[in-house]
Coordinates of all heavy atoms in Angstrom, one line a residue:
H240 N 2.7 -0.9 23.8 CA 1.3 -1.1 24.2 C 1.0 -2.6 23.8 O 0.1 -2.9 23.0 CB 0.4 -0.2 23.5 CG 0.6 1.3 23.9 ND1 0.2 1.8 25.0 CD2 1.3 2.2 23.2 CE1 0.5 3.1 25.1 NE2 1.2 3.4 24.0
A241 N 1.7 -3.5 24.5 CA 1.5 -4.9 24.1 C 0.1 -5.4 24.3 O -0.4 -6.3 23.5 CB 2.5 -5.8 24.9
S242 N -0.6 -4.9 25.3 CA -2.0 -5.4 25.5 C -2.9 -5.0 24.4 O -4.0 -5.6 24.2 CB -2.5 -4.9 26.8 OG -2.7 -3.4 26.8
Q243 N -2.5 -4.0 23.6 CA -3.3 -3.5 22.5 C -2.8 -3.9 21.1 O -3.6 -4.0 20.2 CB -3.4 -2.0 22.5 CG -3.7 -1.4 23.9 CD -5.1 -1.9 24.4 OE1 -6.1 -1.7 23.8 NE2 -5.0 -2.6 25.6
T244 N -1.5 -4.2 21.0 CA -1.0 -4.3 19.6 C -0.3 -5.7 19.4 O 0.1 -6.0 18.3 CB 0.1 -3.2 19.3 OG1 1.2 -3.3 20.3 CG2 -0.6 -1.8 19.5
S245 N -0.1 -6.5 20.4 CA 0.7 -7.7 20.2 C 0.0 -8.7 19.3 O 0.7 -9.5 18.7 CB 0.9 -8.4 21.6 OG -0.3 -8.8 22.2
H246 N -1.3 -8.6 19.1 CA -2.0 -9.5 18.2 C -2.0 -9.0 16.8 O -2.5 -9.7 15.9 CB -3.5 -9.6 18.7 CG -4.3 -8.3 18.6 ND1 -4.0 -7.2 19.3 CD2 -5.3 -8.0 17.7 CE1 -4.9 -6.3 19.0 NE2 -5.6 -6.7 18.0
M247 N -1.5 -7.8 16.6 CA -1.6 -7.1 15.3 C -0.3 -7.4 14.4 O 0.6 -6.6 14.5 CB -1.8 -5.6 15.5 CG -3.1 -5.3 16.2 SD -3.3 -3.5 16.6 CE -3.6 -2.9 14.9
D248 N -0.4 -8.5 13.7 CA 0.8 -8.9 12.9 C 1.1 -7.9 11.8 O 2.2 -7.8 11.3 CB 0.6 -10.3 12.3 CG 0.5 -11.4 13.3 OD1 1.0 -11.2 14.4 OD2 -0.2 -12.4 13.1
T249 N 0.1 -7.1 11.3 CA 0.3 -6.2 10.2 C 0.2 -4.7 10.7 O -0.1 -3.9 9.9 CB -0.8 -6.5 9.1 OG1 -2.1 -6.3 9.7 CG2 -0.6 -7.9 8.6
L250 N 0.5 -4.5 12.0 CA 0.4 -3.2 12.5 C 1.2 -2.2 11.7 O 0.7 -1.1 11.3 CB 0.9 -3.1 14.0 CG 1.0 -1.8 14.6 CD1 -0.4 -1.1 14.8 CD2 1.8 -1.8 16.0
E251 N 2.5 -2.5 11.4 CA 3.4 -1.5 10.7 C 2.8 -1.2 9.4 O 2.8 0.0 8.9 CB 4.8 -2.1 10.6 CG 5.6 -2.0 12.0 CD 5.2 -3.1 12.9 OE1 4.4 -4.0 12.6 OE2 5.8 -3.1 14.1
D252 N 2.4 -2.2 8.6 CA 1.8 -2.0 7.3 C 0.6 -1.1 7.4 O 0.4 -0.2 6.5 CB 1.5 -3.3 6.6 CG 2.8 -4.1 6.2 OD1 3.9 -3.4 6.1 OD2 2.7 -5.3 6.1
F253 N -0.3 -1.4 8.3 CA -1.5 -0.7 8.5 C -1.3 0.8 8.8 O -1.8 1.7 8.1 CB -2.4 -1.3 9.6 CG -3.5 -0.4 10.1 CD1 -4.6 -0.2 9.4 CD2 -3.4 0.2 11.4 CE1 -5.7 0.6 9.8 CE2 -4.5 1.0 11.8 CZ -5.6 1.2 11.0
V254 N -0.3 1.1 9.7 CA 0.0 2.4 10.1 C 0.7 3.1 8.9 O 0.4 4.3 8.6 CB 0.8 2.5 11.4 CG1 1.3 3.9 11.6 CG2 0.0 2.0 12.5
K255 N 1.6 2.5 8.3 CA 2.3 3.1 7.2 C 1.4 3.5 6.0 O 1.6 4.5 5.4 CB 3.4 2.1 6.6 CG 4.6 2.0 7.4 CD 5.6 1.1 6.8 CE 7.0 1.0 7.5 NZ 7.9 0.1 6.8
G256 N 0.3 2.7 5.9 CA -0.7 3.0 4.8 C -1.3 4.4 5.0 O -1.2 5.2 4.0
W257 N -1.8 4.8 6.2 CA -2.3 6.1 6.3 C -1.3 7.2 6.5 O -1.5 8.3 6.2 CB -3.5 6.2 7.3 CG -3.3 5.6 8.7 CD1 -3.6 4.3 9.1 CD2 -2.7 6.2 9.8 NE1 -3.3 4.1 10.4 CE2 -2.8 5.3 10.9 CE3 -2.2 7.5 10.1 CZ2 -2.3 5.6 12.2 CZ3 -1.7 7.8 11.3 CH2 -1.8 6.8 12.4
L258 N -0.1 6.8 7.0 CA 1.0 7.8 7.1 C 1.4 8.2 5.7 O 1.8 9.4 5.4 CB 2.1 7.3 7.9 CG 1.9 7.1 9.4 CD1 3.2 6.5 10.0 CD2 1.4 8.3 10.1
A259 N 1.4 7.2 4.8 CA 1.8 7.5 3.4 C 0.8 8.4 2.7 O 1.1 9.3 1.9 CB 2.0 6.2 2.6
M260 N -0.5 8.2 3.0 CA -1.5 9.0 2.4 C -1.4 10.5 3.0 O -1.6 11.4 2.2 CB -2.9 8.5 2.8 CG -3.3 7.2 2.0 SD -5.0 6.8 2.1 CE -5.1 6.3 3.9
N261 N -1.0 10.6 4.2 CA -0.8 11.9 4.8 C 0.4 12.6 4.0 O 0.4 13.8 3.7 CB -0.4 11.9 6.3 CG -1.6 11.5 7.1 OD1 -2.8 11.7 6.7 ND2 -1.3 11.0 8.3
A262 N 1.5 11.8 3.8 CA 2.6 12.4 3.1 C 2.3 12.8 1.7 O 2.8 13.8 1.2 CB 3.8 11.3 3.1
Q263 N 1.4 12.0 1.1 CA 1.0 12.4 -0.3 C 0.2 13.7 -0.3 O 0.4 14.6 -1.1 CB 0.1 11.3 -0.9 CG -0.2 11.5 -2.3 CD -1.0 10.3 -2.9 OE1 -1.7 9.6 -2.2 NE2 -0.9 10.1 -4.2
A264 N -0.7 13.8 0.7 CA -1.5 15.1 0.9 C -0.6 16.3 1.1 O -0.9 17.4 0.7 CB -2.5 14.9 2.0

C-alpha cells in the first residue's frame, strides 16, 4: 500500500509495538 505507507519510515517499529502488546496479553 505504497500510497499509504511509503512515507512511514518507522512503520515496522510502530506495528511491532502493538503486536508485541498483543503477544504479552
Side-chain angles (χ1 to χ4, degrees):
H240 298 280
S242 68
Q243 311 302 300
T244 63
S245 62
H246 68 291
M247 300 174 70
D248 295 334
T249 60
L250 173 67
E251 285 79 2
D252 290 338
F253 166 71
V254 173
K255 281 182 176 180
W257 47 266
L258 294 180
M260 288 191 292
N261 290 339
Q263 185 176 26

